[in-house]
Amino acid sequence: MWLSLPVFQWVFFESGLWKGNELSAAWCTHLFLMELLAWTGCYFRSPLRAFWLWLSLLLVFQYSKTVLSDFDYLIGLGSYDITGPAADVNMMGYANAEQIASGIHFRLRARSFIVAEPKGKRVVFVNLDACMASQLVTIKVLERLKARYGDLYTEQNVAISGIHTHAGPGGYLQYVTYIVTSLGFVRQSFDVLVDGIEKSIVQAHENLRPGSIFVNKGELLDAGVNRSPSAYLNNPASERSKYKYDVDKEMTLLKFVDDQWGPVGSFNWFATHGTSMSRTNSLISGDNKGAAARFMEDWFEQNVTRSPDTKELGSGGLPRRVSNIIPNSHDKHHELLELAASFRSSPGRPATRTLSVARRVRGTLRQADKPGFVSAFCQTNCGDVSPNVLGAFCTDTGLPCDFNHSTCGGKNELCYGRGPGYPDEFESTRIIGERQFRKAVDLFEKASEPLKGKVDYRHTYLDFSQLEVTLAKEGGGSEVVKTCPAAMGFGFAAGTTDGPGAFDFKQGDDQGNTFWRLVRNLLKTPDKKQVDCQHPKPILLDTGEMKLPYDWAPSILPIQIIRIGQLVILSVPGEFTTMSGRRLRDAVRTMLTSSGNGQFGSNTHVVIAGLTNTYSQYVATLEEYQVQRYEGASTLYGPHTLSAYIQEFQKLASALINGQPVEAGPQPPDLLKKQISLLTPVVMDSTPAGINFGDVISDVPANSTFKTGSNVTVAFWSACPRNDLLTEGTFALVEMLQGTDTWIPLYDDDDWCLRFKWSRNSKLSPRSKAAIEWTIPSSASPGVYRIRHFGASKGLLGSILHFTGSSSAFVVA
């Protein structure tokens, strides 16, 4: 029996079950050999037998060392729900004060990967279904990681990036400019992000196992167009001639393959805005990139769990649900109707929060001992790239908008971009999401180039309000210029063709007007130095110099390089335009591949991770800045912002090549204690006398039968979703009857086909209702179904009561 411990340790390591924990192979080997020495002394009195045993062990040991060095990386992936308050909170992105969340299109998630050398460095990349990263969120996530893991995960090797959906709850950034329309800081939005990011990283850490990573690239031609072509055309013709398109069409994908389990995830980077959902949408949504991630994760899970002959995509190109995992024992329509008639709507009743979590659909699809497949569609240099690929048109005439200013009869409010599903924004979102999903599947299945080499990183903070930049002069020599304190131009207020602004602002305004200057001066009048520094931008808001009640805009920004073999990720805290991103990538790639030390070859892949670690709006080229369309007017730190980024990233690249450290730089402020919130809390919920929370208001018709493609809507008495976000749970559920009395969950509020819509009778009313809409997919099996609602009500004294209710059953034929 005393031999069992070292044998177990040896098997434990060799099997890969150690999952990245700090268990030393040498220590296991030492214990094994010491115990075996004693064992041979006891049982092998013959020197010849002992000799042959030890020779065999040496051969085994040499082989084991080869096996242990066979993998280059430890890989781990994780995913967690970050869906924020689905009621009362302004959505982040369009800065439209009237765009208030009132339900869920599908849920938002934080998706993470960790890559580590077995005995070396490691990096973390987190992709958020959120508009952008937040400096304050990043600070608090890092504090939690330090408390949990010490110095294993720090600002140096952790990148947190947003997909730029404009359909997620706001109020989680710390600077005033970005929380005005959300009525200040929203603690619930902030907390769910910090919690979800931490949990996704913890999952990835606990899933660390030996594995491989493959990279692949390919063109996707129909998922983005340039929304500011007049600004792009101001770039030098010689530079533009090097590129076939005025936006980047290339998708770069990583495929993660566990040595034991096979493929466990994919992350890709592609440039297109998260603005398929419009500025009037009120349902929480991951927009086109969140949709693509949901499609691909479902596609993979169903390919694993279904037989080879049923792995095709469903109607419309979307993955089929696995509803046929439930055997259909009811083939006759009249029998189904009789069975459905026996299940009338159930009165609302108390429930536990865990019931909502337990009834979620996707958890039942995963093997208990294997991590679920994680697929992330990350953002890159999307600054001037729109998913509204049909172009921008005037809503009054149907004619194309003015080319230079994106106006209609001089008004920007009438100029809107049209998505491929116009006029249905949900269809546009599906189509752009599906196009990215299909390309990712193609790249995933064909990925064959393995990442090989070091894991490394460099990170620093920079004060962009006064950064000196050395520029080469055309005639030789150089000059030193400086960036400026943050400021936004008049063209910023005009918005874009994805979401136009209001009043009489227009893009391409390099003059401004007297009236709005007077309004501006009530807040802060920029001095001559700032005006000259920002020229030719006419300053509308001098945000970098506005400090009351606290900072309006960031000054200190993080930049970061992450290396995984021949892949290099540039983490940038903003939205680079197409040409800005090309210049930055080219500058870094040139420095890496021309270093002469052989670390980086011609197969070096450089991608930009946009909106990462914090947010500082746009980065346009110097030439685009002169035009002052939205992107140039939103380039906060003046005309030399891009040159500053290129200069500082080249410094990081040099340090990476030469193995040198970089200075940490000035620390960004933590403004959590200064935050102000004006959002009214939930006081209480109520229902009419004799009515329970969860009771049905409008049911399906009696003895009803629906065909696939039909819409089924049921309304319930509900309560404010802010009472409990039901994280990793669901507010809405479609269940199918199995046998005569067992209900199986098939679709929840994370499914494309199911929408949860919440509303109050009036703004201050304690009464509310939930409408649950199910569009029956073509893959739904014939059978008996019902719709179910989960929620949580708040009593006058603050107590929270969870509840559930069900519709009458109905038949899908």
Side-chain angles (χ1 to χ4, degrees):
M1 292 297 295
W2 43 265
L3 183 61
S4 61
L5 176 61
V7 170
F8 171 77
Q9 288 171 321
W10 182 267
V11 173
F12 184 63
F13 187 86
E14 283 291 286
S15 66
L17 295 175
W18 62 304
K19 295 186 179 182
N21 295 319
E22 301 301 326
L23 180 63
S24 166
W27 178 244
C28 286
T29 304
H30 172 75
L31 287 175
F32 180 82
L33 293 178
M34 289 300 98
E35 295 282 9
L36 201 59
L37 179 62
W39 191 81
T40 53
C42 294
Y43 290 93
F44 282 89
R45 303 303 182 186
S46 165
L48 183 61
R49 289 181 180 178
F51 170 77
W52 284 114
L53 175 64
W54 279 103
L55 181 61
S56 299
L57 285 173
L58 286 173
L59 292 173
V60 169
F61 182 62
Q62 285 300 116
Y63 171 75
S64 71
K65 288 197 294 183
T66 303
V67 170
L68 291 175
S69 62
D70 232 9
F71 64 89
D72 293 313
Y73 304 118
L74 303 172
I75 59 172
L77 290 89
S79 175
Y80 203 80
D81 189 0
I82 56 169
T83 309
D88 303 331
V89 175
N90 182 249
M91 289 186 168
M92 182 63 196
Y94 286 116
N96 176 16
E98 296 179 358
Q99 189 189 13
I100 305 298
S102 60
I104 297 175
H105 179 207
F106 58 90
R107 286 190 169 256
L108 311 179
R109 301 196 71 79
R111 296 173 170 93
S112 302
F113 73 71
I114 299 176
V115 178
E117 293 180 273
K119 296 181 181 179
K121 294 182 177 179
R122 60 183 62 199
V123 293
V124 182
F125 189 91
V126 185
N127 191 61
L128 302 178
D129 287 345
C131 194
M132 67 281 288
S134 155
Q135 184 65 73
L136 188 57
V137 168
T138 301
I139 288 172
K140 297 308 175 184
V141 168
L142 292 172
E143 287 179 359
R144 292 193 183 187
L145 293 176
K146 184 174 180 61
R148 184 184 290 267
Y149 298 113
D151 292 331
L152 194 60
Y153 303 113
T154 70
E155 63 194 14
Q156 298 288 321
N157 64 345
V158 175
I160 302 173
S161 183
I163 64 170
H164 210 38
T165 175
H166 286 43
Y172 62 90
L173 287 87
Q174 70 173 351
Y175 297 105
V176 174
T177 300
Y178 311 123
I179 56 176
V180 170
T181 57
S182 62
L183 301 179
F185 188 68
V186 180
R187 186 70 194 225
Q188 206 169 28
S189 296
F190 172 80
D191 284 343
V192 74
L193 278 169
V194 175
D195 291 344
I197 295 168
E198 179 194 18
K199 287 182 171 66
S200 74
I201 294 173
V202 170
Q203 279 186 24
H205 177 84
E206 293 177 349
N207 288 335
L208 276 170
R209 300 167 53 92
S212 303
I213 309 167
F214 299 87
V215 62
N216 199 6
K217 291 182 176 182
E219 282 192 341
L220 174 57
L221 300 180
D222 54 359
V225 295
N226 198 305
R227 69 185 187 188
S228 288
S230 60
Y232 179 86
L233 289 173
N234 208 45
N235 291 306
S238 58
E239 181 180 35
R240 288 186 280 111
S241 68
K242 295 188 295 184
Y243 303 99
K244 188 175 181 180
Y245 306 104
D246 61 0
V247 297
D248 284 340
K249 301 287 189 178
E250 189 172 70
M251 177 183 285
T252 300
L253 177 137
L254 297 182
K255 177 179 182 179
F256 295 88
V257 181
D258 184 285
D259 280 359
Q260 180 178 355
W261 291 113
V264 289
S266 71
F267 276 58
N268 72 72
W269 289 263
F270 177 77
T272 195
H273 248 74
T275 49
S276 292
M277 301 296 288
S278 74
R279 69 192 299 274
T280 59
N281 162 64
S282 64
L283 300 185
I284 290 175
S285 174
D287 209 278
N288 56 70
K289 285 189 176 291
R294 167 54 53 238
F295 299 159
M296 189 157 183
E297 288 175 347
D298 283 352
W299 166 81
F300 184 86
E301 295 291 352
Q302 291 161 46
N303 268 266
V304 170
T305 58
R306 296 181 65 174
S307 60
D309 60 339
T310 57
K311 292 180 181 178
E312 74 277 8
L313 297 181
S315 173
L318 303 185
R320 293 182 181 272
R321 297 293 297 136
V322 289
S323 54
N324 61 355
I325 61 174
I326 301 172
N328 181 19
S329 58
H330 310 290
D331 295 324
K332 296 181 180 179
H333 183 243
H334 74 275
E335 292 180 358
L336 293 176
L337 283 173
E338 289 180 2
L339 192 57
S342 64
F343 293 94
R344 305 307 302 162
S345 63
S346 63
R349 64 183 188 276
T352 62
R353 187 190 185 284
T354 54
L355 182 61
S356 167
V357 176
R359 299 302 287 176
R360 279 190 73 244
V361 172
R362 281 166 184 79
T364 64
L365 301 180
R366 295 174 179 168
Q367 299 179 36
D369 55 350
K370 177 184 177 182
F373 185 84
V374 178
S375 180
F377 286 69
C378 311
Q379 196 55 270
T380 178
N381 55 317
C382 68
D384 53 359
V385 187
S386 170
N388 297 311
V389 294
L390 299 186
F393 296 86
C394 298
T395 57
D396 56 346
T397 66
L399 297 175
C401 304
D402 173 78
F403 182 76
N404 290 317
H405 301 290
S406 297
T407 54
C408 301
K411 297 182 178 180
N412 71 81
E413 299 98 316
L414 302 177
C415 178
Y416 278 89
R418 294 180 180 177
Y422 175 83
D424 186 341
E425 62 188 291
F426 292 94
E427 183 65 3
S428 292
T429 302
R430 183 194 67 79
I431 293 171
I432 297 297
E434 181 186 343
R435 288 173 180 175
Q436 292 177 77
F437 152 63
R438 283 185 174 277
K439 188 64 198 179
V441 169
D442 178 60
L443 295 176
F444 180 83
E445 292 183 327
K446 296 176 181 177
S448 60
E449 179 188 340
L451 294 185
K452 296 286 186 180
K454 292 181 180 179
V455 172
D456 208 349
Y457 45 82
R458 293 294 185 276
H459 174 285
T460 191
Y461 289 110
L462 301 165
D463 186 350
F464 263 76
S465 69
Q466 52 182 354
L467 194 62
E468 290 189 349
V469 185
T470 302
L471 300 178
K473 289 185 176 181
E474 287 188 12
S478 62
E479 63 174 333
V480 176
V481 297
K482 294 185 73 172
T483 55
C484 324
M488 296 187 290
F490 278 66
F492 155 80
T496 72
T497 56
D498 291 335
F503 305 110
D504 56 349
F505 295 102
K506 64 180 181 180
Q507 296 193 69
D509 182 358
D510 60 359
Q511 300 298 318
N513 67 59
T514 302
F515 173 77
W516 288 110
R517 281 195 177 91
L518 290 173
V519 174
R520 171 200 69 190
N521 292 344
L522 295 175
L523 293 172
K524 173 72 171 66
T525 303
D527 58 25
K528 184 178 184 303
K529 180 181 178 183
Q530 173 73 326
V531 170
D532 291 343
C533 186
Q534 292 279 352
H535 182 78
K537 178 196 293 177
I539 297 174
L540 176 64
L541 290 172
D542 191 16
T543 53
E545 298 183 313
M546 296 165 65
K547 304 294 182 181
L548 294 176
Y550 45 87
D551 293 357
W552 280 58
S555 295
I556 298 169
L557 302 178
I559 63 170
Q560 180 185 48
I561 289 184
I562 288 174
R563 176 189 180 181
I564 308 170
Q566 67 269 30
L567 174 77
V568 175
I569 302 172
L570 310 181
S571 301
V572 301
E575 303 174 61
F576 278 55
T577 63
T578 298
M579 195 62 85
S580 291
R582 288 168 175 172
R583 290 184 189 177
L584 177 62
R585 286 197 308 262
D586 289 349
V588 172
R589 183 186 292 111
T590 298
M591 171 159 279
L592 293 174
T593 57
S594 62
S595 62
N597 63 6
Q599 286 193 55
F600 296 93
S602 59
N603 65 336
T604 299
H605 306 278
V606 179
V607 297
I608 289 174
L611 306 115
T612 300
N613 293 329
T614 190
Y615 183 63
S616 59
Q617 293 177 244
Y618 284 74
V619 181
T621 67
L622 176 64
E623 295 82 2
E624 292 164 349
Y625 188 89
Q626 309 306 308
V627 178
Q628 281 298 295
R629 281 184 63 92
Y630 178 82
E631 294 80 17
S634 304
T635 297
L636 296 184
Y637 307 102
H640 304 297
T641 301
L642 175 59
S643 296
Y645 273 106
I646 291 174
Q647 170 184 280
E648 298 305 318
F649 266 104
Q650 285 177 324
K651 292 179 182 177
L652 289 191
S654 176
L656 188 74
I657 293 166
N658 297 311
Q660 298 172 339
V662 294
E663 293 184 6
Q667 290 294 306
D670 177 346
L671 302 177
L672 181 59
K673 293 182 178 179
K674 294 186 177 182
Q675 296 302 310
I676 297 171
S677 178
L678 302 178
L679 181 66
T680 305
V682 179
V683 178
M684 64 172 293
D685 298 283
S686 69
T687 58
I691 299 295
N692 298 323
F693 291 106
D695 280 0
V696 173
I697 299 174
S698 60
D699 204 355
V700 294
N703 301 315
S704 54
T705 298
F706 297 90
K707 301 290 186 182
T708 59
S710 301
N711 294 316
V712 183
T713 301
V714 179
F716 299 85
W717 285 104
S718 190
C720 185
R722 291 164 60 195
N723 295 327
D724 190 328
L725 304 182
L726 297 186
T727 302
E728 290 291 2
T730 183
F731 288 99
L733 191 67
V734 174
E735 298 176 316
M736 183 181 182
L737 186 64
Q738 183 182 34
T740 59
D741 58 1
T742 302
W743 292 97
I744 305 298
L746 284 188
Y747 305 93
D748 60 25
D749 65 12
D750 201 16
D751 271 291
W752 182 267
C753 63
L754 192 64
R755 298 175 192 171
F756 165 66
K757 297 182 176 181
W758 179 85
S759 62
R760 280 194 180 97
N761 295 335
S762 64
K763 189 171 183 179
L764 299 178
S765 174
R767 296 180 183 177
S768 64
K769 65 180 181 179
I772 297 175
E773 300 177 358
W774 183 38
T775 301
I776 304 174
S778 60
S779 56
S781 297
V784 177
Y785 290 80
R786 71 178 182 184
I787 291 176
R788 194 166 176 185
H789 173 43
F790 296 90
S793 64
K794 186 175 184 180
L796 185 60
L797 299 180
S799 59
I800 300 296
L801 174 66
H802 290 83
F803 62 86
T804 186
S806 309
S807 74
S808 297
F810 54 91
V811 173
V812 172

